[in-house]
Amino acid sequence: MRVLIVEDEPTMRVSLRRGLEAEGFAVDEAESGDTGLWMAREFPYDAIVLDIMLPGRNGYEVCRTLRAEQNWTPILMLTAKRGELDEAEGIDLGADDYLTKPFSFVVLVARLRALLRRSGGGAPVVIEAGDLSIDPAAHTVTRGGADCALTAREFAVLEQLARRLGEVVSKAEIVEKVWDLHFDGDLNIVEVYIRSLRKKLDEPFGVRSIETVRGAGYRLRTDGGRS
Ligand code: CA
């Protein structure tokens, strides 16, 4: 899941980025409304965390402009103090949710995940592939009921395959959703994660759930490898 943070205060921006990365999100940052607007138009974000008081174009204007352009990326607005934003006004502008500073990081992540679930295009809450069960909301994977411990990044790669169960997903599509703008572009990084996923999800169980489709990408089998 790729998220854009638009926030001018460096401390807040950096701590948001680090926190969200630790939760397995790919995160890009913008320091002004204009840069944020440009990035939101240019890249396929799953959600935007948008501060209201920004240099240049403010958060309201960014939100209104995106909605006017039919860009429906979920937006979570950050307000500096109570009363800065009338809640009804924020919703009218097209924001999906907002939080008043100071907020707890746990609450921010919960709200963000709720937004992502709502916009998930009707994807099932838990994705089942044979006896493999992937829960994007809880960030857990089980094989035959046994927990498989994955790192945040391994989970993010698996989630991209699971959301398109049975379809071939290219390395470029995976990188676009899981890594951020500063990623240097070697798509072979995906192979490293596929290898570790196979070690954890398949090899101990003597099955093969993630198939390599030469020159095209990877496919998570609908039967979870147990045919
Ligand atoms: Ca600000």
Side-chain angles (χ1 to χ4, degrees):
M1 295 282 119
R2 188 167 169 186
V3 175
L4 173 65
I5 297 170
V6 189
E7 166 65 84
D8 56 320
E9 293 154 54
T11 321
M12 173 69 100
R13 196 175 59 243
V14 169
S15 72
L16 282 175
R17 174 170 58 74
R18 290 198 181 134
L20 290 175
E21 282 175 350
E23 292 286 325
F25 292 95
V27 181
D28 291 331
E29 303 167 36
E31 297 169 28
S32 73
D34 293 320
T35 310
L37 182 59
W38 177 80
M39 290 172 79
R41 284 167 169 161
E42 209 66 19
F43 305 103
Y45 294 106
D46 297 294
I48 301 170
V49 177
L50 180 61
D51 189 32
I52 290 176
M53 300 308 284
L54 292 165
R57 212 185 294 252
N58 67 32
Y60 304 122
E61 293 171 279
V62 172
C63 184
R64 194 165 39 220
T65 306
L66 287 171
R67 296 310 188 227
E69 293 171 357
Q70 308 290 306
N71 180 324
W72 305 111
T73 306
I75 294 177
L76 174 63
M77 280 199 151
L78 302 180
T79 74
K81 54 181 184 295
R82 261 178 212 298
E84 179 184 84
L85 165 71
D86 182 311
E87 297 204 349
E89 188 184 2
I91 299 288
D92 281 351
L93 289 167
D96 298 273
D97 198 0
Y98 40 95
L99 272 180
T100 303
K101 296 176 187 174
F103 49 80
S104 108
F105 187 73
V106 175
V107 171
L108 173 86
V109 170
R111 300 276 198 94
L112 209 46
R113 289 207 197 284
L115 276 189
L116 292 167
R117 264 200 304 283
R118 290 210 293 272
S119 71
V125 174
V126 176
I127 301 162
E128 309 274 0
D131 65 351
L132 200 57
S133 175
I134 299 138
D135 186 340
H139 261 221
T140 55
V141 186
T142 59
R143 165 73 88 183
D147 282 325
C148 302
L150 302 186
T151 65
R153 189 84 79 174
E154 287 166 353
F155 187 89
V157 171
L158 177 66
E159 186 181 356
Q160 294 309 311
L161 298 177
R163 285 185 180 276
R164 289 171 55 191
L165 190 60
E167 292 174 34
V168 180
V169 185
S170 72
K171 287 181 190 173
E173 288 170 315
I174 294 170
V175 163
E176 186 166 73
K177 288 289 189 183
V178 178
W179 277 268
D180 61 35
L181 270 184
H182 302 289
F183 177 67
D184 69 5
D186 184 358
L187 299 182
N188 293 323
I189 185 84
V190 177
E191 286 172 25
V192 176
Y193 283 86
I194 294 289
R195 260 203 303 280
S196 60
L197 283 170
R198 284 174 174 153
K199 264 195 197 111
K200 293 181 175 180
L201 303 178
D202 288 355
E203 287 167 21
F205 304 92
V207 296
R208 194 164 178 82
S209 64
I210 302 172
E211 295 176 328
T212 303
V213 183
R214 292 237 170 274
Y218 300 96
R219 172 168 46 214
L220 181 61
R221 291 171 52 142
T222 54
D223 63 6
R226 294 201 195 269
S227 45

